[in-house]
Amino acid sequence: MEERIIYITQGDMKRLRALIEVCNGDGSFLEGLEGELDRARMVAPGEIPSNVVTMNSIVRIRDLDSCEERTVVLVFPEKVGGAEKVVSILAPIGAALIGQKEGDVIEWQVPAGRKRLQIVEIIYQPERVGNYDL
């Protein structure tokens, strides 16, 4: 399967690379995120397509195996704080979402096995409304 290009804003890339460096050695879970960043095309916040998942985006996703839909917010780990709809970028699903587009189907290894998710809708993307410094 051909890998699609994913897009990451310059600010998100900088913060995510720093996060990986701080967490280095804390497990192989970072390899997935690092791989996503390595293949990403970095763009200025004002140039990110409006249908791409960025940090702090609110995204409706569908589990293609169970057909269950849920809405999640992709956040940095310090923002998790027990909220049930929040997904850390360090979680396998969080790393899978970053840079993907509406309609994309992603496959990712999670503790319970292989998951297939579709990005149904990006309800809110900060850059779409001019919020570049979250």
Side-chain angles (χ1 to χ4, degrees):
M1 184 166 94
E2 182 181 324
E3 283 191 351
R4 287 182 288 247
I5 293 174
I6 63 170
Y7 295 89
I8 306 276
T9 66
Q10 294 163 335
D12 285 351
M13 180 70 84
K14 182 178 178 181
R15 286 186 69 188
L16 291 169
R17 291 283 188 198
L19 181 61
I20 288 171
E21 192 168 309
V22 167
C23 295
N24 197 14
D26 281 355
S28 63
F29 66 93
L30 290 175
E31 291 175 12
L33 176 57
E34 194 165 26
E36 293 296 281
L37 297 180
D38 288 345
R39 72 184 184 100
R41 180 175 293 161
M42 190 169 49
V43 298
E47 296 174 6
I48 193 93
S50 63
N51 65 341
V52 170
V53 178
T54 62
M55 294 305 300
N56 299 301
S57 289
I58 301 172
V59 183
R60 188 162 49 99
I61 57 175
R62 176 183 300 124
D63 182 318
L64 293 177
D65 298 317
S66 69
C67 294
E68 177 184 329
E69 285 191 9
R70 66 183 179 139
T71 300
V72 298
V73 182
L74 182 61
V75 298
F76 287 97
E78 67 270 13
K79 299 283 186 178
V80 173
E84 91 179 45
K85 292 185 175 186
V86 211
V87 173
S88 170
I89 187 65
L90 295 182
I93 299 302
L97 287 172
I98 190 72
Q100 300 292 334
K101 296 179 184 173
E102 283 180 338
D104 281 353
V105 174
I106 52 178
E107 290 188 29
W108 207 258
Q109 190 67 34
V110 295
R114 196 114 180 116
K115 283 287 198 183
R116 294 180 324 123
L117 300 173
Q118 181 177 33
I119 299 171
V120 177
E121 177 186 14
I122 298 173
I123 298 167
Y124 169 78
Q125 181 210 64
E127 294 80 7
R128 188 186 307 161
V129 295
N131 290 337
Y132 302 132
D133 298 316
L134 294 178

